[in-house]
Amino acid sequence: MRERRQWRNAGNSGRQELDMPLLSDSMCAAVALPNGSSPKDLLDNLGTSAYDFLDGLLVTEQARIDAEQALGDRDDYHLQIAPQIGLIQERFCLVTLNGVGKPALVGLLSNEPERALPTALENLLFWAISDPLLPWQAQWKQTNDGLVSDWRTQARGYGIVAMPVGAAPESVRTISALFGLKHSEIGVSLSAAVLVDQATAISISAVPADISLVQARLINEASTVAHPKWRCLALYRILEHAYLSNIKRKLLLDFDADAGGALQEALDKVSNEVNQLVSLAEDADLTVEFEQFNVAFDAQLSVGNNFIIKLDRGAKSHQLYRAQERYKKAVLRFYKLRCAIAHAGTSSVIYEQFADSDQAATALLPSIEAIALKSLKISK
């Protein structure tokens, strides 16, 4: 594909800028225009064509007039396209940028784009279709009337971002994050497997009334959250609820024998979340499951997962890291994982700082799930 552009003089500034990109030779051939034609020529050809070669785009005279007016701003923008990786939407949005005279233009297309698009979205789509540097200009399908643009197939679920010339690269990254668009520096979030994945039999040994409505809601939350980070946190909240109940239960059991000692023990546990987890691991018979978590954690260390390496480094100064009982070290590591997810300060490990944190969380999830469910006396 050969790009054709023309230079224009930008007044008295002495700076030269590019005029809007001309159509690619392949697009010119598809619509029987001479090489070197412009998007304006394409609009004129569309108005006189015997068939709708842009498949429902700019079909009315007013729409073509609006599109021609919008072309006046085309040379002030760089275009890029990216698939939507979040909730698929169809809409248009202006984004004002600090220190930049023109706004960024963002257009999102659904998996089944509407026949009649809003004017601003339609104009932005026309820019993308006619841009020789983007792939959509070369995608055509044969019909009885002739070649028709295949943009409805190519653009489904995509976003178009028109960034004003001179905008900082970081702006593209922020816009991509806001609108759920794929970006090389952000990556694509992984999805966790469904809760009790591949289980053919499940055992619930708890007395039905012992699993409260709150706990049922916590289970439901964990089962419906797809992102591995939030799945880890949702499962942790099941344990959080369990270890507070466990401290209360143990306090009531020990109170008559030694009220002062029972109260002091309860206070020590409540004031230290790691101690609460250790107590739950012991009282709910979760030590084996925590040791399995430790094995999965070590496996991530051995493959060089940067998130896990940094997380482990931050745990080494704690006394439980050197405990003879491996489950206590596992409890500490699990707690550090929870903190990295829940907190976003600057003095500790933050989940989003690392490109491989999703991979680590996904690898650890089966053991975390086993711990959380067993705390409720559920197993598979």
Side-chain angles (χ1 to χ4, degrees):
M1 180 176 64
R2 180 160 50 92
E3 177 194 1
R4 295 169 175 266
R5 295 184 182 230
Q6 297 175 334
W7 291 94
R8 64 178 171 85
N9 196 299
N12 297 323
S13 68
R15 181 171 59 90
Q16 288 185 318
E17 297 179 353
L18 287 171
D19 274 329
M20 74 180 73
L22 300 179
L23 303 177
S24 68
D25 290 353
S26 61
M27 187 168 208
C28 289
V31 295
L33 284 172
N35 289 347
S37 295
S38 69
K40 169 63 168 59
D41 297 325
L42 184 63
L43 286 175
D44 293 340
N45 193 29
L46 185 62
T48 59
S49 174
Y51 71 101
D52 175 20
F53 60 77
L54 288 188
D55 196 9
L57 197 67
L58 305 174
V59 294
T60 68
E61 182 179 1
Q62 185 58 55
R64 292 188 291 274
I65 291 172
D66 293 339
E68 183 177 348
Q69 291 176 341
L71 284 174
D73 292 328
R74 176 64 183 89
D75 58 325
D76 293 323
Y77 286 91
H78 296 305
L79 255 63
Q80 47 192 290
I81 57 175
Q84 299 181 53
I85 56 176
L87 179 67
I88 303 299
Q89 305 174 65
E90 184 160 289
R91 63 190 179 100
F92 175 86
C93 188
L94 292 172
V95 181
T96 303
L97 302 172
N98 180 38
V100 182
K102 287 183 176 291
L105 314 176
V106 180
L108 305 175
L109 293 156
S110 70
N111 285 326
E112 295 295 335
E114 294 289 339
R115 295 300 300 183
L117 298 171
T119 298
L121 179 56
E122 189 174 40
N123 293 341
L124 186 57
L125 179 58
F126 178 68
W127 287 11
I129 289 174
S130 59
D131 193 313
L133 298 181
L134 297 181
W136 296 347
Q137 50 79 31
Q139 305 301 316
W140 298 81
K141 57 185 178 181
Q142 185 68 53
T143 69
N144 292 334
D145 295 322
L147 289 174
V148 173
S149 172
D150 197 29
W151 69 264
R152 290 187 182 276
T153 300
Q154 302 300 316
R156 61 176 54 169
Y158 263 74
I160 307 166
V161 180
M163 293 298 297
V165 173
E170 291 82 1
S171 297
V172 181
R173 185 175 64 198
T174 302
I175 287 173
S176 298
L178 283 171
F179 291 92
L181 301 178
K182 184 177 180 180
H183 188 280
S184 60
E185 293 182 304
I186 297 174
V188 180
S189 297
L190 300 177
S191 292
V194 296
L195 209 62
V196 293
D197 180 40
Q198 300 181 355
T200 57
I202 295 173
S203 171
I204 304 176
S205 58
V207 175
D210 286 348
I211 298 180
S212 68
L213 177 58
V214 170
Q215 289 170 315
R217 288 172 174 167
L218 288 169
I219 296 169
N220 179 68
E221 177 183 321
S223 68
T224 54
V225 173
H227 194 295
K229 170 180 67 175
W230 300 126
R231 174 73 63 81
C232 287
L233 190 60
L235 291 169
Y236 183 90
R237 294 182 73 223
I238 291 175
L239 290 169
E240 187 175 36
H241 184 82
Y243 61 56
L244 289 175
S245 298
N246 183 62
I247 291 171
K248 178 181 177 181
R249 179 186 60 80
K250 198 166 187 309
L251 170 63
L252 294 176
L253 284 174
D254 296 344
F255 188 82
D256 289 339
D258 182 3
L263 287 171
Q264 186 58 53
E265 182 182 359
L267 285 172
D268 290 342
K269 290 177 180 177
V270 169
S271 63
N272 187 307
E273 200 159 359
V274 176
N275 287 345
Q276 294 174 35
L277 269 176
V278 170
S279 177
L280 179 65
E282 295 167 345
D283 296 340
D285 191 26
L286 300 175
T287 57
V288 171
E289 285 71 26
F290 269 108
E291 287 175 0
Q292 290 170 345
F293 170 86
N294 218 39
V295 171
F297 196 101
D298 284 335
Q300 289 301 298
L301 279 177
S302 67
V303 297
N305 185 282
N306 290 311
F307 171 61
I308 292 298
I309 290 171
K310 193 64 182 284
L311 207 64
D312 193 58
R313 192 175 298 161
K316 285 182 177 179
S317 61
H318 197 285
Q319 61 180 5
L320 286 183
Y321 192 90
R322 297 175 295 279
Q324 289 185 350
E325 304 93 337
R326 287 179 298 174
Y327 71 86
K328 291 183 178 180
K329 181 177 182 180
V331 164
L332 174 64
R333 285 170 156 180
F334 182 39
Y335 179 70
K336 290 293 184 180
L337 172 64
R338 173 261 181 196
C339 292
I341 294 171
H343 302 156
T346 57
S347 60
S348 59
V349 180
I350 301 172
Y351 188 95
E352 289 77 14
Q353 287 176 320
F354 301 89
D356 55 7
S357 51
D358 279 356
Q359 285 82 356
T362 301
L364 296 174
L365 264 174
S367 58
I368 297 173
E369 179 182 318
I371 292 168
L373 291 182
K374 189 176 180 182
S375 74
L376 298 171
K377 298 184 179 180
I378 298 174
S379 60
K380 61 178 181 177

